[in-house]
Amino acid sequence: MSPSATSTGVANGTNGHNPKLEFEIYHNVINNDLTNTAKTRHNINPATTEPNPEVPVSTQEDVDKAVAAARAAFKPWSNTTLEERGAKLVAYADAIESYKHEFAKLLTAEQGKPLAQSYQEIGMATTWLRAFSTMTIPDETIEDTEERRIVLRYVPLGIVAGLIPWNFPILLAVGKIAPAVITANTLILKPSPFAPYCNLKLAELGIHFFPPGVLQVLSGEEDLGPMFTTHPDIDKIAFTGSIATGKKVMAAAAPTLKRVTLELGGNDPAIICDDVDVEAIIPKVNPTFPC
């Protein structure tokens, strides 16, 4: 039997108490159960060169189980109100913030960025969650005459797979979680093989705020991504990563006509002439991320 967050005496995050979250052992999250795999792997802490803990290596069977759970959860979740979903996002953001020290240390240990930047990423992630909690999805009246009334209404799509890169694993996972949850879709995260740890804990923490099947996570190796992009019962792929991989994602999603959102990295040149004030221009060229 897989370990369960409810069978270990963990506090319910919706009752006013912070849920208990351990950062030593890592599981997949399928249908709000913490699950293991026959094969595991680990990454190396780039600062110490010591091995990080073992993480699951998911198979097609794990993907199928997660997709089935997401499909079962979709209908009841899509019948919740925008206000209910927004409240859950705020509570989830508060819980992440309560573990900011643990998440910051973990992010540095798996990804290698300085601790100050890890705290910055967590702060940006909780800001995103709270911002999306205020989102409204109004109907749009396209035409209203004596003859007819045409209304554009946005409805949930279904199951979303979020493919997360290694460079900002918390922020970019939240960038998939928040819009999917607030619009009443169900979401399965697939972390980068190079940075799976924070994503696994984000979904584990989500157990205490979202119904089974709404937010899940599967870690694995390079072959895991195609299991999502080609799966016949996944409705949308949200991918952040390289241009080369983005092309593969789009091609793999085409046979099943999945909706696809691609946020692709690239090199955007900025030519700075020798007659400018360098100290003044650098913040304008790169205003968001530290150099």
Side-chain angles (χ1 to χ4, degrees):
M1 179 178 177
S2 300
S4 166
T6 54
S7 65
T8 55
V10 176
N12 185 341
T14 60
N15 66 5
H17 302 288
N18 285 332
K20 185 179 180 182
L21 194 65
E22 303 290 347
F23 283 79
E24 289 77 31
I25 301 175
Y26 295 83
H27 307 276
N28 285 336
V29 176
I30 300 177
N31 206 33
N32 277 10
D33 286 329
L34 306 180
T35 67
N36 300 313
T37 56
K39 180 181 177 182
T40 61
R41 59 185 292 276
H42 65 265
N43 289 354
I44 301 299
N45 184 321
T48 66
T49 69
E50 294 295 321
N52 284 322
E54 295 294 309
V55 296
V57 175
S58 301
T59 64
Q60 185 68 57
E61 181 181 2
D62 298 309
V63 174
D64 291 342
K65 288 179 179 178
V67 170
R71 182 59 64 195
F74 173 64
K75 186 173 182 179
W77 181 242
S78 65
N79 287 328
T80 59
T81 67
L82 193 66
E83 291 73 22
E84 289 172 322
R85 299 191 298 273
K88 289 182 182 295
L89 281 182
V90 171
Y92 183 51
D94 291 344
I96 293 172
E97 198 165 66
S98 74
Y99 280 104
K100 64 182 178 182
H101 301 303
E102 291 84 354
F103 271 114
K105 291 177 183 177
L106 180 61
L107 179 53
T108 293
E110 72 166 333
Q111 198 271 345
K113 65 183 59 180
L115 194 59
Q117 291 186 23
S118 293
Y119 278 108
Q120 181 185 36
E121 181 173 340
I122 294 163
M124 293 170 68
T126 54
T127 296
W128 279 13
L129 284 166
R130 293 180 179 120
F132 271 100
S133 75
T134 66
M135 179 178 176
T136 59
I137 314 175
D139 294 346
E140 297 180 22
T141 301
I142 306 299
E143 184 176 342
D144 192 357
T145 66
E146 292 182 357
E147 296 180 349
R148 60 184 171 267
R149 187 168 187 262
I150 303 174
V151 177
L152 175 63
R153 180 170 294 130
Y154 296 91
V155 297
L157 283 173
I159 303 172
V160 181
L163 311 185
I164 314 302
W166 62 270
N167 55 342
F168 286 86
I170 292 180
L171 181 63
L172 295 176
V174 163
K176 308 287 189 284
I177 294 169
V181 165
I182 197 65
T183 54
N185 296 287
T186 56
L187 175 70
I188 308 170
L189 292 176
K190 188 209 77 70
S192 164
F194 302 107
Y197 296 92
C198 286
N199 281 195
L200 291 169
K201 287 302 169 184
L202 284 175
E204 183 177 339
L205 187 59
I207 288 172
H208 307 283
F209 302 94
F210 306 114
V214 170
L215 175 60
Q216 303 177 91
V217 64
L218 299 177
S219 75
E221 297 179 321
E222 296 292 344
D223 62 343
L224 184 58
M227 298 182 199
F228 286 98
T229 55
T230 60
H231 199 287
D233 203 29
I234 290 176
D235 301 293
K236 178 181 172 65
I237 302 292
F239 170 79
T240 302
S242 70
I243 293 172
T245 304
K247 292 178 180 179
K248 294 178 181 178
V249 169
M250 180 172 280
T256 51
L257 293 179
K258 289 179 176 61
R259 306 269 186 111
V260 177
T261 298
L262 302 177
E263 181 192 5
L264 305 181
N267 295 319
D268 300 320
I271 300 174
I272 301 175
C273 299
D274 58 8
D275 61 342
V276 304
D277 183 341
V278 173
E279 294 300 324
I281 201 66
I282 288 298
K284 298 178 181 179
V285 172
N286 189 18
T288 304
F289 297 107
C291 297

Coordinates of all heavy atoms in Angstrom, one line a residue, residues 154-218:
Y154 N -15.8 31.0 -21.3 CA -14.6 30.2 -21.1 C -14.9 29.0 -20.2 O -15.3 29.2 -19.0 CB -13.5 31.0 -20.6 CG -13.1 32.1 -21.6 CD1 -13.6 33.4 -21.5 CD2 -12.1 31.9 -22.6 CE1 -13.3 34.4 -22.4 CE2 -11.8 32.9 -23.5 CZ -12.4 34.1 -23.4 OH -12.0 35.1 -24.3
V155 N -14.7 27.8 -20.6 CA -14.9 26.6 -19.8 C -13.7 25.8 -19.6 O -12.7 25.9 -20.4 CB -16.0 25.7 -20.5 CG1 -17.3 26.5 -20.6 CG2 -15.6 25.2 -21.8
P156 N -13.6 25.0 -18.5 CA -12.4 24.2 -18.3 C -12.1 23.2 -19.4 O -13.0 22.7 -20.1 CB -12.7 23.5 -17.0 CG -13.8 24.3 -16.3 CD -14.6 24.9 -17.5
L157 N -10.8 23.0 -19.7 CA -10.4 22.1 -20.8 C -10.4 20.6 -20.3 O -10.9 19.7 -21.0 CB -9.0 22.4 -21.3 CG -8.9 23.6 -22.2 CD1 -7.4 23.9 -22.4 CD2 -9.6 23.4 -23.5
G158 N -9.9 20.4 -19.1 CA -9.8 19.0 -18.6 C -8.4 18.8 -17.9 O -8.1 19.4 -17.0
I159 N -7.6 17.8 -18.5 CA -6.4 17.5 -17.8 C -5.2 18.2 -18.5 O -5.1 18.2 -19.7 CB -6.1 16.0 -18.0 CG1 -7.3 15.1 -17.3 CG2 -4.8 15.6 -17.3 CD1 -7.1 13.6 -17.6
V160 N -4.4 18.9 -17.7 CA -3.2 19.6 -18.2 C -2.0 18.9 -17.7 O -1.9 18.5 -16.5 CB -3.2 21.1 -17.7 CG1 -2.0 21.8 -18.2 CG2 -4.5 21.8 -18.1
A161 N -1.0 18.7 -18.5 CA 0.3 18.3 -18.1 C 1.3 19.4 -18.1 O 1.4 20.1 -19.2 CB 0.8 17.1 -19.0
G162 N 1.9 19.7 -17.0 CA 2.9 20.8 -16.9 C 4.3 20.3 -16.9 O 4.7 19.6 -16.0
L163 N 5.0 20.6 -17.9 CA 6.4 20.1 -18.1 C 7.3 21.3 -17.6 O 7.4 22.3 -18.3 CB 6.7 19.7 -19.5 CG 5.7 18.8 -20.2 CD1 6.2 18.3 -21.5 CD2 5.4 17.6 -19.3
I164 N 8.1 21.1 -16.6 CA 8.8 22.1 -15.8 C 10.3 22.0 -16.1 O 10.9 20.9 -16.0 CB 8.5 22.0 -14.3 CG1 7.0 21.8 -14.0 CG2 9.0 23.3 -13.6 CD1 6.1 22.8 -14.6
P165 N 11.0 23.2 -16.3 CA 12.4 23.1 -16.5 C 13.2 23.2 -15.2 O 12.6 23.3 -14.2 CB 12.6 24.4 -17.4 CG 11.6 25.4 -16.8 CD 10.4 24.5 -16.5
W166 N 14.5 23.1 -15.4 CA 15.3 23.0 -14.2 C 15.7 24.4 -13.6 O 16.1 24.5 -12.4 CB 16.7 22.3 -14.6 CG 17.4 23.1 -15.6 CD1 17.4 23.0 -16.9 CD2 18.4 24.1 -15.4 NE1 18.2 23.9 -17.6 CE2 18.9 24.6 -16.6 CE3 19.0 24.7 -14.2 CZ2 19.8 25.6 -16.8 CZ3 19.9 25.7 -14.3 CH2 20.3 26.2 -15.6
N167 N 15.6 25.5 -14.3 CA 16.2 26.7 -13.9 C 15.4 27.5 -12.8 O 16.0 28.1 -11.9 CB 16.5 27.6 -15.1 CG 15.3 27.9 -15.9 OD1 14.3 27.2 -15.9 ND2 15.4 29.0 -16.8
F168 N 14.1 27.4 -12.9 CA 13.2 28.1 -11.9 C 12.1 27.1 -11.6 O 10.9 27.3 -11.9 CB 12.6 29.4 -12.5 CG 13.6 30.5 -12.5 CD1 14.4 30.7 -13.6 CD2 13.7 31.4 -11.5 CE1 15.3 31.7 -13.7 CE2 14.6 32.5 -11.5 CZ 15.4 32.6 -12.6
P169 N 12.5 26.0 -10.9 CA 11.5 24.9 -10.7 C 10.3 25.2 -9.9 O 9.2 24.8 -10.2 CB 12.3 23.8 -10.1 CG 13.5 24.4 -9.5 CD 13.8 25.6 -10.4
I170 N 10.5 26.1 -8.9 CA 9.3 26.4 -8.0 C 8.4 27.5 -8.8 O 7.2 27.3 -8.9 CB 9.8 27.0 -6.7 CG1 10.4 25.9 -5.8 CG2 8.6 27.6 -5.9 CD1 10.9 26.4 -4.5
L171 N 9.0 28.5 -9.2 CA 8.3 29.6 -9.9 C 7.5 29.1 -11.1 O 6.4 29.4 -11.3 CB 9.2 30.7 -10.3 CG 8.6 31.9 -11.0 CD1 7.6 32.6 -10.0 CD2 9.7 32.9 -11.4
L172 N 8.2 28.3 -11.9 CA 7.6 27.9 -13.2 C 6.6 26.7 -13.0 O 5.7 26.5 -13.8 CB 8.6 27.5 -14.2 CG 9.5 28.7 -14.6 CD1 10.6 28.3 -15.6 CD2 8.6 29.8 -15.3
A173 N 6.7 26.0 -11.9 CA 5.7 25.0 -11.5 C 4.4 25.7 -11.1 O 3.3 25.4 -11.5 CB 6.2 24.1 -10.4
V174 N 4.6 26.8 -10.2 CA 3.5 27.6 -9.8 C 2.9 28.3 -11.0 O 1.6 28.5 -11.0 CB 3.9 28.6 -8.7 CG1 2.9 29.7 -8.5 CG2 4.2 27.9 -7.4
G175 N 3.7 28.6 -12.0 CA 3.1 29.3 -13.2 C 2.2 28.3 -14.0 O 1.5 28.8 -14.9
K176 N 2.3 27.0 -13.7 CA 1.4 26.1 -14.3 C 0.2 25.8 -13.3 O -0.9 25.6 -13.7 CB 2.1 24.8 -14.6 CG 3.4 24.9 -15.5 CD 3.1 25.3 -16.9 CE 4.4 25.2 -17.8 NZ 5.3 26.3 -17.6
I177 N 0.6 25.7 -12.0 CA -0.4 25.3 -11.0 C -1.5 26.3 -10.9 O -2.7 26.0 -11.0 CB 0.2 25.1 -9.7 CG1 1.2 23.9 -9.7 CG2 -0.9 24.9 -8.6 CD1 2.0 23.8 -8.4
A178 N -1.1 27.6 -10.8 CA -2.1 28.7 -10.5 C -3.2 28.8 -11.6 O -4.4 28.8 -11.3 CB -1.4 30.0 -10.2
P179 N -2.8 29.0 -12.9 CA -3.8 29.1 -13.9 C -4.6 27.9 -14.1 O -5.8 28.0 -14.4 CB -3.0 29.5 -15.2 CG -1.6 29.1 -14.9 CD -1.4 29.2 -13.4
A180 N -4.0 26.7 -14.0 CA -4.8 25.5 -14.2 C -5.8 25.3 -13.1 O -7.0 25.0 -13.3 CB -3.9 24.3 -14.2
V181 N -5.4 25.6 -11.8 CA -6.4 25.4 -10.7 C -7.5 26.4 -10.7 O -8.7 26.1 -10.5 CB -5.6 25.5 -9.4 CG1 -6.5 25.6 -8.2 CG2 -4.7 24.2 -9.2
I182 N -7.2 27.7 -10.9 CA -8.2 28.7 -10.9 C -9.2 28.5 -12.0 O -10.4 28.9 -11.8 CB -7.6 30.1 -10.9 CG1 -8.6 31.2 -10.4 CG2 -7.1 30.5 -12.3 CD1 -9.0 31.0 -8.9
T183 N -8.8 28.0 -13.1 CA -9.7 27.8 -14.2 C -10.4 26.4 -14.2 O -11.0 26.0 -15.2 CB -9.0 28.0 -15.6 OG1 -7.9 27.1 -15.6 CG2 -8.6 29.4 -15.7
A184 N -10.3 25.7 -13.1 CA -11.0 24.4 -12.8 C -10.5 23.2 -13.6 O -11.3 22.3 -13.9 CB -12.5 24.6 -12.9
N185 N -9.2 23.3 -14.0 CA -8.6 22.1 -14.7 C -7.9 21.3 -13.7 O -7.6 21.7 -12.6 CB -7.7 22.6 -15.8 CG -8.4 23.3 -16.9 OD1 -9.1 22.7 -17.7 ND2 -8.2 24.6 -16.9
T186 N -7.6 20.0 -14.0 CA -6.7 19.2 -13.2 C -5.3 19.2 -13.8 O -5.2 19.4 -15.0 CB -7.2 17.8 -13.0 OG1 -7.4 17.2 -14.3 CG2 -8.6 17.8 -12.3
L187 N -4.3 19.0 -13.0 CA -2.9 19.2 -13.5 C -2.0 18.1 -13.0 O -2.0 17.7 -11.8 CB -2.4 20.6 -13.0 CG -0.9 20.9 -13.3 CD1 -0.7 21.2 -14.7 CD2 -0.4 22.1 -12.4
I188 N -1.1 17.6 -13.9 CA -0.1 16.7 -13.5 C 1.2 17.4 -13.8 O 1.5 17.8 -15.0 CB -0.2 15.4 -14.3 CG1 -1.6 14.8 -14.1 CG2 0.9 14.4 -13.8 CD1 -1.8 13.6 -15.0
L189 N 2.1 17.5 -12.8 CA 3.4 18.1 -13.0 C 4.4 17.1 -13.4 O 4.4 16.0 -12.8 CB 3.9 18.8 -11.8 CG 3.2 20.1 -11.3 CD1 3.8 20.6 -10.0 CD2 3.3 21.2 -12.4
K190 N 5.3 17.4 -14.4 CA 6.5 16.6 -14.7 C 7.7 17.5 -14.5 O 8.0 18.3 -15.3 CB 6.4 16.0 -16.1 CG 7.6 15.0 -16.3 CD 8.0 14.9 -17.7 CE 8.9 16.1 -18.1 NZ 10.3 16.0 -17.5
P191 N 8.4 17.3 -13.4 CA 9.6 18.1 -13.2 C 10.8 17.7 -14.2 O 10.8 16.6 -14.7 CB 10.1 17.8 -11.8 CG 9.0 16.9 -11.2 CD 8.2 16.3 -12.3
S192 N 11.7 18.6 -14.3 CA 12.9 18.3 -15.0 C 13.7 17.2 -14.3 O 13.7 17.2 -13.0 CB 13.8 19.5 -15.1 OG 15.1 19.2 -15.4
P193 N 14.3 16.3 -15.0 CA 15.1 15.2 -14.3 C 16.2 15.9 -13.5 O 16.7 15.3 -12.6 CB 15.6 14.4 -15.4 CG 14.7 14.6 -16.6 CD 14.2 16.0 -16.4
F194 N 16.6 17.1 -13.9 CA 17.7 17.8 -13.2 C 17.3 18.5 -11.9 O 18.2 18.9 -11.1 CB 18.4 18.7 -14.2 CG 18.9 18.1 -15.4 CD1 18.3 18.3 -16.6 CD2 20.0 17.2 -15.4 CE1 18.8 17.7 -17.8 CE2 20.5 16.6 -16.5 CZ 19.9 16.8 -17.7
A195 N 16.0 18.7 -11.7 CA 15.5 19.4 -10.6 C 14.1 19.0 -10.2 O 13.2 19.7 -10.3 CB 15.5 20.9 -10.8
P196 N 14.0 17.7 -9.7 CA 12.7 17.2 -9.4 C 12.2 17.5 -7.9 O 11.0 17.3 -7.6 CB 12.8 15.7 -9.6 CG 14.3 15.5 -9.2 CD 15.0 16.7 -9.6
Y197 N 13.1 17.9 -7.0 CA 12.8 17.8 -5.6 C 11.8 18.8 -5.2 O 10.8 18.4 -4.5 CB 14.1 18.0 -4.8 CG 15.1 16.9 -5.0 CD1 16.1 17.0 -6.0 CD2 15.1 15.7 -4.3 CE1 17.0 16.0 -6.3 CE2 16.0 14.7 -4.5 CZ 16.9 14.8 -5.5 OH 17.8 13.8 -5.7
C198 N 11.9 20.0 -5.5 CA 10.9 21.0 -5.1 C 9.5 20.8 -5.7 O 8.5 20.9 -5.0 CB 11.4 22.4 -5.5 SG 12.7 23.1 -4.5
N199 N 9.5 20.3 -6.9 CA 8.2 20.0 -7.5 C 7.5 18.9 -6.8 O 6.3 18.9 -6.6 CB 8.4 19.6 -9.0 CG 8.5 20.8 -9.9 OD1 8.4 20.7 -11.1 ND2 8.8 22.0 -9.3
L200 N 8.2 17.9 -6.4 CA 7.6 16.8 -5.6 C 7.0 17.3 -4.3 O 5.9 16.9 -3.9 CB 8.7 15.7 -5.4 CG 9.1 14.9 -6.6 CD1 10.4 14.0 -6.3 CD2 8.0 14.0 -7.1
K201 N 7.7 18.2 -3.6 CA 7.2 18.7 -2.4 C 6.1 19.7 -2.6 O 5.2 19.8 -1.7 CB 8.4 19.3 -1.6 CG 9.3 18.3 -1.0 CD 8.6 17.3 -0.1 CE 9.5 16.2 0.4 NZ 8.7 15.2 1.2
L202 N 6.1 20.4 -3.7 CA 5.0 21.3 -3.9 C 3.7 20.5 -4.1 O 2.6 20.9 -3.5 CB 5.2 22.1 -5.2 CG 6.2 23.3 -5.1 CD1 6.4 23.8 -6.5 CD2 5.7 24.3 -4.2
A203 N 3.7 19.4 -4.8 CA 2.5 18.6 -5.0 C 2.1 17.9 -3.7 O 1.0 17.7 -3.4 CB 2.7 17.6 -6.1
E204 N 3.1 17.4 -2.9 CA 2.9 16.8 -1.6 C 2.2 17.8 -0.7 O 1.2 17.4 0.0 CB 4.1 16.3 -1.0 CG 3.9 15.5 0.3 CD 5.2 14.9 0.9 OE1 6.2 14.7 0.2 OE2 5.2 14.7 2.1
L205 N 2.6 19.0 -0.7 CA 2.0 20.0 0.1 C 0.5 20.3 -0.4 O -0.4 20.5 0.4 CB 2.8 21.3 0.1 CG 2.4 22.5 1.0 CD1 2.4 22.0 2.5 CD2 3.3 23.7 0.8
G206 N 0.4 20.2 -1.7 CA -1.0 20.4 -2.3 C -2.0 19.4 -1.8 O -3.2 19.7 -1.9
I207 N -1.6 18.2 -1.4 CA -2.5 17.2 -0.9 C -3.5 17.8 0.2 O -4.7 17.5 0.2 CB -1.7 16.0 -0.3 CG1 -1.1 15.2 -1.4 CG2 -2.7 15.1 0.6 CD1 -0.1 14.2 -0.8
H208 N -3.0 18.7 1.0 CA -3.7 19.3 2.1 C -4.7 20.4 1.7 O -5.5 20.9 2.5 CB -2.8 19.8 3.2 CG -1.8 18.8 3.6 ND1 -2.1 17.7 4.4 CD2 -0.5 18.6 3.2 CE1 -1.0 17.0 4.5 NE2 0.0 17.5 3.8
F209 N -4.7 20.8 0.4 CA -5.5 21.9 -0.1 C -6.4 21.5 -1.2 O -7.5 22.1 -1.4 CB -4.7 23.1 -0.4 CG -3.8 23.5 0.7 CD1 -2.5 23.0 0.9 CD2 -4.3 24.4 1.7 CE1 -1.7 23.4 1.9 CE2 -3.5 24.8 2.8 CZ -2.2 24.3 2.9
F210 N -6.0 20.5 -2.0 CA -6.8 20.2 -3.3 C -7.3 18.8 -3.2 O -6.7 17.9 -2.7 CB -5.9 20.4 -4.5 CG -5.3 21.8 -4.6 CD1 -3.9 21.9 -4.5 CD2 -6.0 22.9 -4.7 CE1 -3.3 23.1 -4.5 CE2 -5.4 24.1 -4.8 CZ -4.1 24.3 -4.7
P211 N -8.5 18.6 -3.8 CA -9.1 17.2 -3.8 C -8.2 16.2 -4.5 O -7.4 16.6 -5.4 CB -10.4 17.4 -4.5 CG -10.7 18.8 -4.4 CD -9.4 19.5 -4.4
P212 N -8.3 14.9 -4.3 CA -7.5 13.9 -5.0 C -7.7 14.1 -6.5 O -8.7 14.2 -7.0 CB -8.1 12.6 -4.5 CG -8.7 12.9 -3.1 CD -9.2 14.3 -3.2
G213 N -6.5 14.0 -7.1 CA -6.5 14.0 -8.6 C -6.4 15.4 -9.2 O -6.2 15.6 -10.4
V214 N -6.5 16.5 -8.4 CA -6.5 17.8 -8.9 C -5.0 18.3 -9.2 O -4.7 18.9 -10.2 CB -7.2 18.8 -8.0 CG1 -6.9 20.3 -8.4 CG2 -8.7 18.5 -8.0
L215 N -4.1 18.0 -8.3 CA -2.7 18.3 -8.4 C -1.9 17.1 -8.1 O -1.9 16.6 -7.0 CB -2.3 19.5 -7.5 CG -0.8 19.9 -7.5 CD1 -0.4 20.3 -8.9 CD2 -0.5 21.0 -6.5
Q216 N -1.2 16.6 -9.1 CA -0.3 15.4 -9.0 C 1.1 15.7 -9.6 O 1.3 16.7 -10.3 CB -1.0 14.3 -9.7 CG -2.4 13.9 -9.3 CD -3.0 12.8 -10.1 OE1 -2.9 11.7 -9.8 NE2 -3.7 13.2 -11.2
V217 N 2.0 14.8 -9.2 CA 3.4 15.0 -9.8 C 4.0 13.6 -10.0 O 3.8 12.7 -9.2 CB 4.3 15.9 -8.8 CG1 4.5 15.2 -7.5 CG2 5.6 16.2 -9.5
L218 N 4.7 13.5 -11.1 CA 5.5 12.3 -11.4 C 6.9 12.7 -11.8 O 7.1 13.6 -12.7 CB 4.9 11.5 -12.6 CG 3.4 11.0 -12.4 CD1 3.0 10.4 -13.7 CD2 3.4 10.0 -11.2

